[in-house]
Amino acid sequence: MRTVSTSLITQTVEQLCIEACYKIGDDVKILLQKARDEEESPLGKWILQQFLDNMHISREEQLPLCQDTGMAVVFIELGREVHVTGGSLEDAVNEGVCRGYEKGYLRKSVLDPLTRKNTGDNTPAVIHLEMTEGDRIKITAAPKGFGSENMSRLAMLKPADGADGIKKFVLDTVVRAGANPCPPIIVGIGIGGTMEKAAYLAKKSLLREAGKPHPDKDIAALEQELLNKINETGIGPQGMGGRTTALAVHVETYPTHIAGLPVAVNIQCHAARHASAVI
Amino acid sequence: MIKKITSPATTEEILKLSAGDMVELSGILLTGRDAAHKRMVEYLYKGIPLPFDIKNQSIYYTGPCPAPPGRIIGSCGPTTSFRMDGYTPLLLDLGLKIMIGKGQRSPEVVEAIVRNQAVYLAAAGGAGALIARCVKKAEVLAFEDLGPEAVYRLEVEKFPLIVAIDSRGSSIFESGPAQFRI
Ligand code: SF4
């Protein structure tokens, strides 16, 4: 057994929240550069260039990439041989979110869903805990803006709907979202499991390096086909027309019940923020 | 070509803008999003005068991040405009001329834009740090208790924008994608 103190977890979450909001990954940057070079719409090109400039300014001047610094989604992969000391893991994560949002001058956007009263410190986080092998903890902070989260959808399709039904639902979701999720987007799709499992898979797929195909060839082919179809809609950067509607499509699957076909589509804007650390 | 415009703008300037134009705006903007809109409209229904005049003004839908020490403002990109749609026709009828945000608007808003010879401009959603650089001055104008949703008066320089819905009601969200749909 290896012991890890909750204060180290708090510290790590604090740093990861700030890092995720200031410094977008090179994977997204490379996809945006490629999109800018290939975009046929002059307006689209201009917008994509603004996103690249924005990334540069955000990194350089330590300003959040986007003012919607989101709700903090925190993924924890906890090794079986880790013993957490000093309090509850959940409290430690929330304390890290609270400190990170304060110290990083990030916007506090979390409130009670009914009274709409702001909690004041962007807590609580949405925490996903998974047990893994080993004696380490991997923490990933993925702040999620709601312009894109609001455009996400879930459907309990019929088995007879099959792959065609899935494709139709995904495309319909992207078209309905239009300009709202700040395209170009990354589309995270979870297929199978139960209702909540599909949603979780869709969200988790967004942590993958942007544009990296799924290791399974058939799933990778589905991703590519969906990406092409999405980019044929012409929605384009910011919904103003162009070739670049999505930068990538990520699909994750899980076995499901004989009677069902859950599909969740989690839309991620180009501000695809996540930062990880292993402690 | 990028057109230069100033805010407040004259009707003449606004009429010259067409959907899809790239513009750089300099001048004065008022900020306001969900909570500020709700309150403005509540005031108007109750007959309470607004603490600022919106006639001929420009509203920017944004809820900035807190300003780090030594900075004028934190990241301040646009928020989704359609959430303001229910309140917007009334404000346009009171003389609001320019709206800045992101995403489509309702048919009622488009009608009110045409009726009042106004214009809706779109900023690049997610370009908060870039836009913060265009802000030269920021001060709270009203509704301070609303925190990031308070109404600020901003002085901006060369704010990059796109004419999304022009004074004739043409929308780039319709004409743009149609041109590239396969
Ligand atoms: S959808 Fe994304 S890029 Fe757009 S405002 Fe929200 S967080 Fe920012």
Side-chain angles (χ1 to χ4, degrees), chain A residues 12-263:
Chain A
T12 308
V13 171
E14 172 190 323
Q15 280 164 6
L16 290 175
C17 287
I18 297 176
E19 190 189 321
C21 287
Y22 288 4
K23 219 178 127 220
I24 192 109
D26 282 331
D27 51 345
V28 179
K29 187 172 162 187
I30 290 166
L31 290 177
L32 274 175
Q33 280 167 337
K34 187 168 165 273
R36 175 205 53 199
D37 294 343
E38 293 172 2
E39 181 54 69
E40 291 165 27
S41 150
L43 199 52
K45 240 188 199 338
W46 193 54
I47 295 166
L48 293 167
Q49 184 57 49
Q50 284 184 32
F51 292 148
L52 287 161
D53 293 345
N54 185 56
M55 263 180 198
H56 183 73
I57 295 169
S58 150
R59 282 191 194 194
E60 196 127 285
E61 300 190 14
Q62 296 282 291
L63 274 176
L65 186 81
C66 177
Q67 76 290 338
D68 184 354
T69 48
M71 182 156 195
V73 181
V74 181
F75 290 83
I76 310 249
E77 289 171 35
L78 182 65
R80 280 177 222 287
E81 289 154 49
V82 181
H83 177 55
V84 175
T85 58
S88 106
L89 176 67
E90 201 181 342
D91 290 350
V93 170
N94 282 325
E95 182 59 26
V97 168
C98 164
R99 289 192 204 166
Y101 274 70
E102 192 57 40
K103 252 201 194 158
Y105 298 94
L106 308 179
R107 202 182 74 189
K108 290 128 194 143
S109 317
V110 174
L111 43 67
D112 181 279
L114 297 177
T115 65
R116 310 303 293 178
K117 192 173 172 316
N118 200 301
T119 62
D121 57 8
N122 221 58
T123 67
V126 173
I127 303 171
H128 297 296
L129 181 65
E130 249 181 61
M131 298 300 288
T132 54
E133 296 307 320
D135 62 358
R136 301 275 149 184
I137 309 178
K138 182 175 180 192
I139 305 179
T140 303
K144 188 68 168 73
F146 260 53
S148 54
E149 192 70 0
N150 279 339
M151 296 297 126
S152 304
R153 288 206 301 163
L154 185 134
M156 303 304 282
L157 298 181
K158 292 192 292 294
D161 294 331
D164 283 345
I166 295 171
K167 290 174 205 166
K168 201 169 154 278
F169 178 66
V170 172
L171 273 171
D172 189 43
T173 303
V174 171
V175 169
R176 279 166 62 147
N180 292 324
C182 294
I185 53 178
I186 297 174
V187 185
I189 304 167
I191 305 173
T194 47
M195 184 189 81
E196 82 285 7
K197 182 72 178 180
Y200 173 71
L201 288 175
K203 171 87 45 194
K204 206 176 170 201
S205 78
L206 296 171
L207 301 183
R208 200 195 298 167
E209 183 187 319
K212 192 172 170 208
H214 193 282
D216 179 299
K217 267 215 318 271
D218 294 336
I219 298 176
L222 176 65
E223 291 175 340
Q224 189 57 48
E225 185 189 343
L226 282 168
L227 180 62
N228 294 345
K229 287 210 163 98
I230 289 169
N231 285 333
E232 284 171 9
T233 60
I235 294 170
Q238 295 294 291
M240 296 181 182
R243 290 278 161 255
T244 328
T245 303
L247 297 171
V249 174
H250 295 174
V251 175
E252 292 294 336
T253 65
Y254 196 82
T256 190
H257 189 276
I258 43 173
L261 180 54
V263 183

Side-chain angles (χ1 to χ4, degrees), chain B residues 130-144:
Chain B
L130 176 104
I131 296 168
R133 256 203 189 174
C134 303
V135 177
K136 301 302 166 195
K137 212 171 151 190
E139 57 193 21
V140 177
L141 189 65
F143 309 155
E144 194 165 0

